[in-house]
Amino acid sequence: MAHVLGQNQYGKAENRIVRIYRDSTRHEIKDLNVSVSLQGEFEDVHLTGSNANCLPTDTTKNTVYAFAKEHGIESAEAFGILLARHFVDNTERGVVHSARIRIEEYAWDRIKTPDSSARFIGSEEVGHSFVRSGQETRTSEIVYDGESVQVVSGLKDLIVMNSTNSEFWGYIKDRYTTLQEAYDRILATQVTARWKYGFSGRDGEAQPNWNRSYSHVKRHLLEAFAETYSYSLQQTLHAMGTRVLNNRAEVDEVRLELPNKHHFLVDLEPFGLKNDNEVYYAADRMYGLIEGTVHREGVVPVIPVA
């Protein structure tokens, strides 16, 4: 029986790159983890061992670093689009048909010094000293097939909590149900969000302001979480996705993964104490995992299920 080579791809994963801008004494940092994956006419590489159509993964790595110098990194999305188009459009003999660029961006905050004697904006900051931010990691995935670009941006590890304005009751109960109904509970989650842009890159279409869009999408996610009186984490998920689509015209689809970071009241009665929703045990495992996509009517969702 004959065997057939199925879907295949290759590239250089997790190229760690830090780009420092030293145009003034107030330096700027872009800290990325870039993964490149290529699809195309690579059958002979697998079947015969001929590397005539193989662009070495070392070359893709070198391209990432060279582009960081030659083009700079204004945003993860714009940088990923540059790379994807280069690998598809400029690789010899056109053997690369599609390129996928995945990027994680790590944020840095400036270290502040309280005893600076200067009196100008930013004077309390050291221009060359940074501390890694404890907030979320920014993500992006860019796919280019030679005709159009698909951009899915996102974030992960954004931990949020509402200490009240959350209930959970009226659910199905059977012989195995032990969960007590809650009319005032802590709602906490570690947000993983991805959103697809309507941008396709065709016919010189202008790119969105990626950094501003990211900032606003994050703000709307947080505002929806904070302002929604929640009867379930599912309801909160829908409110968060809807808020983004209502306020950001450039976004067509939002997918959210929200693990329920359970907080259980501690029984203080053995110590003669009353626990009036004040002391909780924070459990990291096991957890409920709530996932869902919110998209515009008529849009076919493309963000894959994790």
Side-chain angles (χ1 to χ4, degrees):
M1 181 180 294
H3 303 291
V4 177
L5 175 66
Q7 191 278 340
N8 62 89
Q9 60 194 41
Y10 77 96
K12 185 73 82 174
E14 300 202 34
N15 301 282
R16 288 290 284 107
I17 177 170
V18 175
R19 174 64 155 94
I20 300 179
Y21 293 88
R22 307 176 185 273
D23 301 336
S24 70
T25 57
R26 194 172 190 266
H27 295 173
E28 302 289 342
I29 287 181
K30 283 289 187 179
D31 186 351
L32 306 181
N33 188 15
V34 182
S35 293
V36 177
S37 183
L38 309 177
Q39 295 185 42
E41 298 174 18
F42 306 136
E43 291 82 1
D44 283 349
V45 183
H46 292 83
L47 302 179
T48 72
S50 170
N51 293 321
N53 283 354
C54 182
L55 181 72
T57 63
D58 189 67
T59 301
T60 67
K61 176 259 294 179
N62 292 340
T63 304
V64 170
Y65 290 111
F67 269 43
K69 170 60 178 177
E70 294 173 356
H71 302 282
I73 304 173
E74 188 274 330
S75 69
E77 290 84 357
F79 188 60
I81 290 171
L82 274 174
L83 288 169
R85 283 178 165 159
H86 167 79
F87 290 125
V88 173
D89 295 340
N90 298 324
T91 298
E92 185 180 350
R93 294 193 299 280
V95 297
V96 177
H97 296 168
S98 175
R100 184 190 70 202
I101 312 296
R102 286 178 171 166
I103 301 177
E104 295 180 344
E105 180 175 350
Y106 310 114
W108 290 82
D109 295 327
R110 297 181 186 278
I111 296 176
K112 299 181 183 297
T113 55
D115 52 354
S116 172
S117 60
R119 291 293 181 267
F120 55 87
I121 295 175
S123 64
E124 74 282 5
E125 301 170 345
V126 179
H128 59 273
S129 298
F130 301 84
V131 57
R132 265 288 295 273
S133 173
Q135 293 279 325
E136 81 285 353
T137 297
R138 179 174 171 176
T139 63
S140 58
E141 177 175 308
I142 297 91
V143 176
Y144 175 59
D145 62 5
E147 295 183 0
S148 64
V149 174
Q150 177 179 288
V151 179
V152 177
S153 295
L155 56 83
K156 63 181 181 178
D157 300 331
L158 179 64
I159 300 174
V160 293
M161 174 191 289
N162 284 333
S163 58
T164 189
N165 286 358
S166 177
E167 305 179 17
F168 188 62
W169 53 271
Y171 42 81
I172 294 173
K173 302 178 182 67
D174 63 18
R175 60 181 294 195
Y176 302 110
T177 302
T178 60
L179 182 68
Q180 299 297 306
E181 292 187 335
Y183 297 89
D184 186 7
R185 67 171 184 170
I186 287 176
L187 183 67
T189 187
Q190 183 171 321
V191 180
T192 296
R194 290 171 289 169
W195 53 92
K196 179 188 175 296
Y197 288 94
F199 173 78
S200 67
R202 296 179 184 269
D203 300 325
E205 177 186 1
Q207 296 186 26
N209 185 320
W210 303 112
N211 292 330
R212 183 172 62 189
S213 180
Y214 175 86
S215 176
H216 283 287
V217 170
K218 176 185 171 184
R219 175 172 64 84
H220 290 302
L221 290 172
L222 291 174
E223 288 177 354
F225 179 83
E227 295 174 4
T228 300
Y229 192 104
S230 179
Y231 292 96
S232 68
L233 189 51
Q234 288 90 331
Q235 175 204 5
T236 300
L237 179 151
H238 184 262
M240 293 168 71
T242 300
R243 178 76 67 96
V244 172
L245 295 180
N246 284 344
N247 289 277
R248 302 308 305 174
E250 72 273 23
V251 176
D252 283 346
E253 171 191 356
V254 180
R255 181 160 184 85
L256 291 159
E257 300 164 26
L258 304 179
N260 199 333
K261 311 290 281 186
H262 298 297
H263 289 68
F264 301 107
L265 279 170
V266 177
D267 182 8
L268 300 179
E269 289 187 3
F271 318 121
L273 300 172
K274 181 181 180 181
N275 191 355
D276 190 15
N277 290 338
E278 295 169 307
V279 181
Y280 296 82
Y281 164 66
D284 61 349
R285 297 174 179 84
M286 55 193 65
Y287 53 84
L289 179 58
I290 313 303
E291 303 172 89
T293 297
V294 185
H295 60 88
R296 300 191 187 280
E297 187 175 2
V299 168
V300 177
V302 298
I303 301 175
V305 175

